[in-house]
Structure formats: C-alpha cells, structure tokens
C-alpha cells in the first residue's frame, strides 16, 4: 500500500468517526434532557437553591451542545460540498479558484473541529451539572 492510499484510508476513518461521535453526543444530549425531565416529574421533588442553579446551567449547556452539534453537521456538509467541487474541477482540469477553495475547506475544517470540541465540552459540563443535581437529591439515601 502506498502512502497516499494509506492516508486516504485513515482520512476516511476520521470522517466516519467524527460523524458517529457528533451524532452520538447529540443523541446523548437529547436523552439526558429527557432523563432529567423524567427525574423531576414526581411532585415530591423540591429542588434547593444549588440544585436549581445546576439544573438551569445543565439545561442551558445541553441545549447549546445540541445546537453546536447541528452546526458541526451543517459545517461538515459545506466542507463536503466544497471538497466535491474541488475534485470535480480537478477531474475537468479546471485550475482556477482551486487554491481559494482549498483554503476555504481548511478554514471550514478548523471551525468543524473547534465546534466539535465545544460540543463535547458543553455536553460534559451539562452531564456533570445534572449528576450533581441527582446526587444532591439522593445523597441521604446513598450515604
């Protein structure tokens, strides 16, 4: 196997994994919101001030995580569209604007990875906030 085909193979794996993890985080975020609302549904749960704070921070960050995940998916679609345009122009031996398009795909790629990291960070912090809410509620029963 030559270097180019090896790189292409691993680049394809990276693209597939990014899509999978992006979709996984979106799904987990939505499931976490559903779980938390199911958790607070019983009328006998009354949050204290700390729980309310962590609940609202968690909700806000979770919604932001889903929104960022959607932006990542849209950004990736734009990147794929532009990459396909570059490949089509290269096959047709059209060289004008290829470098500008390549530079734009690099910018889009950096935005994608940056937003992807923020998606994971916001989800992680929201999960931590919701965990604190639940642990405060069940602390007496757990200790």
């Amino acid at each position: 196997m030559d270097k180019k085909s090896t790189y292409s193979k691993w680049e394809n794996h990276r693209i597939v994994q990014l899509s999978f993890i992006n979709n996984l985080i979106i799904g987990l975020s939505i499931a976490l919101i559903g779980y938390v609302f199911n958790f607070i549904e019983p009328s006998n749960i009354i949050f204290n001030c700390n729980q309310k704070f962590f609940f609202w921070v968690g909700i806000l960050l979770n919604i932001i995580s889903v929104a960022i995940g959607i932006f990542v998916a849209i950004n990736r679609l734009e990147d794929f569209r532009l990459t396909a345009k570059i490949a089509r122009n290269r096959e047709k031996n059209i060289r004008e604007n290829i470098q500008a398009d390549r530079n734009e795909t690099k910018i889009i790629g950096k935005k994608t990875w940056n937003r992807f990291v923020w998606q994971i960070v916001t989800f992680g912090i929201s999960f931590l906030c919701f965990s604190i809410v639940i642990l405060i509620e069940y602390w007496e029963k757990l200790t």
Side-chain angles (χ1 to χ4, degrees):
M1 218 181 246
D2 64 344
K3 282 185 177 181
K4 191 161 186 107
S5 64
T6 302
Y7 175 77
S8 179
K9 173 186 158 190
W10 287 107
E11 181 72 9
N12 187 46
H13 284 302
R14 183 182 65 88
I15 289 169
V16 169
Q17 286 299 102
L18 178 62
S19 296
F20 176 77
I21 298 299
N22 181 43
N23 292 333
L24 178 67
I25 298 296
I26 290 172
L28 288 173
S29 293
I30 293 170
L32 185 58
I33 290 172
Y35 176 80
V36 169
F37 278 112
N38 190 43
F39 173 76
I40 65 170
E41 185 180 345
S43 59
N44 61 346
I45 294 178
I46 299 172
F47 285 165
N48 64 30
C49 186
N50 290 332
Q51 285 175 304
K52 288 178 185 178
F53 171 78
F54 285 114
F55 173 80
W56 287 110
V57 169
I59 288 290
L60 179 65
L61 289 175
N62 214 321
I63 291 170
I64 290 171
S65 178
V66 171
I68 292 172
I70 292 168
F71 285 131
V72 165
I74 291 169
N75 210 41
R76 295 191 70 236
L77 286 174
E78 178 66 21
D79 192 8
F80 293 149
R81 185 190 65 79
L82 200 53
T83 303
K85 177 184 170 189
I86 291 168
R88 184 176 54 247
N89 286 345
R90 195 175 41 208
E91 285 177 0
K92 292 180 178 181
N93 206 17
I94 301 171
R95 298 288 181 209
E96 60 191 52
N97 297 328
I98 281 187
Q99 192 56 43
D101 288 342
R102 284 182 179 156
N103 291 338
E104 190 174 343
T105 60
K106 286 180 184 178
I107 291 169
I108 291 171
K110 287 179 183 178
K111 284 181 184 178
T112 297
W113 280 101
N114 187 8
R115 290 176 181 166
F116 178 64
V117 168
W118 278 106
Q119 177 191 13
I120 292 171
V121 167
T122 53
F123 171 74
I125 295 171
S126 71
F127 181 82
L128 181 64
C129 287
F130 290 139
S131 297
I132 291 170
V133 168
I134 293 168
L135 283 173
I136 290 172
E137 187 63 33
Y138 289 121
W139 187 255
E140 296 281 325
K141 295 176 184 175
L142 294 172
T143 57

